[in-house]
Amino acid sequence: MLSALLYLQLTSLKNVVLTRLRRLRQPKYFFGAIVGAAYFWFFFFRPIGVGARAAQFGQAAGGLPATDFAEMAAALGALAMLAYATLAWVLPTEKPGLPFSEAEAAFLFPAPLSRRKLIHFKLLSSQSRILFTSLFFTLLTKRFGSLGGSAVTHAMGWWVILSVLSLHAAGAVLTLTRLMEGGVSVRRRRGAVLGLLALAVGVTVAWVWQDLRAPTDADMAGFNPLRSYVLTVLNGGAIDWLLWPCKLVLGPFLAKDMAGFLSALGPALLILGAHYFWVMRMNVAFEEASLGVAEKRGATIAAWRAGKRLPRRTPGKGRRPPFALAGPGRAELALLWKNLLAAPGWLNPRLFVVVAGLIVAGCLILEGQPEWRAMLRLVGIGAGVAGAYILLLGPQLARQDLRGDLPNIDILKTYPLAGWQVVLGGLLAPTAILSGLLWLALLAGGLAVHLRGGPAAGALGTQLTAWVCLVLIAPPLVALQLLVPNAATVLFPGWFQSGAARGGGIDVMGQRLIFMFGQLFVLLLAMLPAGLAALVLILAFKWLIGTAAAVVLAAVAVLVILVGELWCGVWLIGVRFEKIDLSAELRA
Amino acid sequence: MIEIESLYKNYGTFAAVRGLSFAVRPGEVLGLVGPNGAGKTSTLRCLAGIIPASGGMVRIAGHDVVADPVAAKRSLAFFPDEPRLFEYLTVRQHLNFVARLYGVADHEALAQPLLEELEIAEKADELPGALSRGMKQKLAIACGLLHSPKVMFFDEPLTGLDPLGIRRMKDSILKRARDGAAIVLSSHLLHLLQEVCSHVLILKKGEKIADGTLAEVAARFSNGETGVGLEEIFIRATGGSA
C-alpha cells in the first residue's frame, strides 16, 4: 500500500517540476526565472565557491573564533528548538489534526488503509519538504564559514533537525488529541506545560542567584561579555538539562569534521528513532480533527489563490464603519470607506492619537533625564529607518486598493465610475494609512532632533519649516509609491495574478524581484524632476528670501510636481483600467 | 432599451462572439441559451461593459457603452453566476456602499423592503462569511436592485438557490419586467427560462442561431409538431452539440 502513497508523492513532485518548466515558455516566467536564478547564485552559491571569502564572511558576521561560534549556535539553536516544542504543546486551542490536504483526506480516509499507514503517509510526504528545506538551509548556513563541517554534514545535520521537529509536531498533535479525548482541558494542559517550563526557569534563576552571580555592569559592557555570561547560564542548571536533548539533535549539524559528525550522529538518530516510536505508538482517532484542518487549509489556499485575505477565524459580525457614508456624494469616498473597512481593525485614528501621545511623552521623558538623553539619538535614527521602511515597503504591505479588489474586478467595472475614479478611490485608503504611519515617524524624528538640540539641528524656525514641508510632501509621495503596484496590477494583470495565485518557484521569486526593482526605479524617476526643481529653487532663492523661505518654496514646488505626476498616473491607469479585459489577459 | 448591433468579441485569434445583433424592449425578458462555450457569458459581460467588445455597438438605455460607459452603467445591473461580495462588509454595509456609488438618496428606506423581499433582513449585520451560498446570491441581487436599474443582466441567476429561492427569483424577475425593465438572462435550466422569458436567443459558437418570441422560435424548429418544449427546440437548433 505504501507504494501507492510513494507513487502519489513522486508523481505529484514530477508534475510540479514539469508544470514549472513548461510555464517557462511564457516570457513572464522565463525572465522571472533568469532574475531569480541570478539572485540565487549571487546570494547562495557564490560564497560556497570561494572558501576563504566564506570563512572571512563568517568571521565578519560573528566576529568570533570557531569554537565560540559553535558553542553559541548550539545554545541558541537548542533554545529555539525548545521554544518550538513548547509552542507545539501550548498553542492548539481545539483538537489539532495531522495536516492532510483536502484531496488527501478525501482519497485516503475512506480508502482501506490502517491508521498507522496514514501516519506513515504523512511522515513520508513531509520528507520531500524536509529534504528541500535541508538543501536550502545548507546553502544559507554555508555562508557562515565559522561553523566548520562540509556541505554534506550540514545537509544531513539539517535533515536530522527538521525530521525531529516534524516528528515532534506530529507526536504532539496525536498526544494532544488523546488528552482532549480524555477530557483534559486546554487550560489544564497549558498550565502543566508552562508550569514545567516555569519550574525549569525558576530553578535556573535560583541557581544563578546562589551559585553563580547576577549580571554585573561588566557583563553588560559589550557583546562578547554578554555572550559569555548568557552561555554560562544556558550551559548550567536545570535549563541545561532541558536543552540537552536539543543539543544532541544539533550535534551532527555543528560537527567540525566527518569524525565529529559520525560520533554525534548516533545520539541524534536515537532521539529521532525515539520520536518515530512515540508517533507510531499513538493509536489516536485523528481523522475528524484532520478533516477540520484540511477544510481550513483548503479555504486558506482558495482565498490566497483568489488574491483575498485569509478567511477570518470566526465569520460573523462586521465592524463599525470608519465614517458615515451618505448616499449622494463623491463616489471615490465610497471606495475609501470600503477599503478602510478592509484594513485591520486596530489601524484606527485612536491608535494614531495614542501612539503620537506616547511618542511625545517618551521623548520628553528622555529629554528630562540627563543619563537617558543620549537615547534621543537612537529615537531619531529609529524614526528615520522606520520612515524609509514605511515609504519603500509599506506600499507592498498596504494592499487595500486595486490589488485587493482584483478578484472583484468584474463588479468594479459595472459601477458607474470612470477609470480614474476607481484608481483614485482605491489609492485613498492605503495612502491615508501609510501617511499616518509616516507622520508618526516624522513626529518621533522631529522631536528627537529638536529636543537633542545642538548646532546641527538648526534654529527652531528652520526645524519647524523642514518638518511641516516633510509632513505635506509625505501623502503624495506615498500615493506615488502606491501608484506603481497599482499600475502593475492593470498593466500586467497576468504577472500580478501569477505572483499571487500560481504558487512559488524561482521564476515567481524573480517576478517579485523585477517588480521591486521596477518600483524603486519609478520612484527615482518620479523624484528626479521634483528634486531638481527643489535644488534649483533653494540655490536660487536662499540668498534673496532666506533658507527657510527657500525651503518652503521648494517644498511647494515639489508638492505641485508630485501631485501633477500623481494625477497623470491616476489618469493613465484609469484609462487602462477602462480598457482592461482580464479574461483575455489571463488566457494569454 | 438594449440595442446590440454586430457585436464581436475575440480572445486573440479565438472569436467568442460573432456579429451578434438583437434588441430588448422595456418589459421583455430575453433568455440567452446555448451550449457550453457558445459565448453567452462573453456577450453578457460585453453588454455590461465589463469587457470591451472587439467590434459592434451596444446601447443601454440610449447610452453607448463605449462612448458613455458611466451613463450606461448607471442604468444597468449585472448579476454574475457567482456572487462577488466584499468579505469585510456586512449585508447592510454592502447596500450603503452601493448606494453611494449610484448616488441613491435615502437608501436606508429603500434597502429595508428589499432585504425583506429577499428574506435577508435578519442577516443585515452579518458578514458574507456567515451567509450561505443562497444568501450571498440574494445579497448580490439586493445590491443590483437598489438603484432600480432599467436594464438587468443575469448570468445563471438560479445557481445555488433552493426551490423556494428559485420561485422567488422568478417572481422577482417577472415583477421587474412588468415594472418596465429590460432583462437578459442566461441559464442552462431551460424549463425555468420557458417560464420566465418572453423572448429567446439561441447562440452556438458565438453566432445567433435563432431569436424571437418563444412561439416564433418554437414554430421554426417544431417541424409542424405542437407542444414542443424549449429543451427540444434547443437540441434541434444546436444540432445536439456545441
Side-chain angles (χ1 to χ4, degrees), chain A residues 308 312 315-319 325-327 329-330 334 338 341-342 405 408 410-411 413-416 581 583, chain B residues 9 11 45 50-52 70 73 84-90 93 96-97 100-102 104 125-127 129:
Chain A
K308 293 178 185 171
R312 285 166 198 246
K317 306 289 176 194
R319 279 172 38 208
L325 190 70
R330 300 288 316 178
K338 172 184 82 64
L341 272 169
D405 277 336
N408 284 330
D410 282 7
I411 297 301
K413 292 201 77 175
T414 63
Y415 294 148
D581 183 351
S583 51
Chain B
K9 179 62 194 172
Y11 296 107
R45 286 154 67 93
I50 295 170
I51 56 175
V70 174
K73 287 174 183 179
R84 305 281 176 78
L85 301 169
F86 299 104
E87 64 187 56
Y88 37 82
L89 298 189
T90 63
Q93 286 169 344
N96 194 353
F97 172 63
R100 178 62 164 250
L101 292 176
Y102 287 87
V104 181
D125 294 318
E126 302 282 351
L127 290 169

Side-chain angles (χ1 to χ4, degrees), chain B residues 181-223:
Chain B
I183 298 171
V184 178
L185 64 95
S186 99
S187 177
H188 286 298
L189 303 173
L190 299 178
H191 60 288
L192 295 166
L193 288 184
Q194 202 163 1
E195 292 174 36
V196 175
C197 298
S198 57
H199 292 68
V200 67
L201 190 154
I202 303 175
L203 273 176
K204 184 181 177 185
K205 291 182 179 170
E207 286 181 338
K208 182 166 74 177
I209 301 287
D211 73 331
T213 63
L214 281 169
E216 286 167 353
V217 175
R220 188 173 156 192
F221 292 97
S222 61
N223 300 329

Side-chain angles (χ1 to χ4, degrees), chain A residues 20 23-24 28-45 132 136 139-140 304 396 495-518:
Chain A
R20 288 191 178 165
R23 72 184 185 187
L24 291 181
K28 61 187 178 188
Y29 289 110
F30 180 71
F31 288 115
I34 290 176
V35 174
Y39 173 84
F40 234 76
W41 187 80
F42 271 105
F43 282 85
F44 294 116
F45 288 99
F132 179 80
F136 180 76
L139 292 173
L140 202 68
W304 180 66
Q396 301 298 332
W495 282 61
F496 181 80
Q497 284 281 328
S498 65
R502 296 189 192 168
I506 198 167
D507 42 3
V508 173
M509 188 180 80
Q511 286 180 2
R512 288 179 186 141
L513 284 170
I514 291 172
F515 271 115
M516 201 179 76
F517 288 124

Side-chain angles (χ1 to χ4, degrees), chain A residues 454-499:
Chain A
L460 178 63
T462 312
Q463 287 176 23
L464 211 57
T465 308
W467 191 79
V468 170
C469 291
L470 287 174
V471 165
L472 287 177
I473 290 169
L477 205 55
V478 167
L480 209 57
Q481 279 282 73
L482 282 161
L483 215 52
V484 179
N486 277 279
T489 305
V490 293
L491 287 172
F492 312 106
W495 282 61
F496 181 80
Q497 284 281 328
S498 65

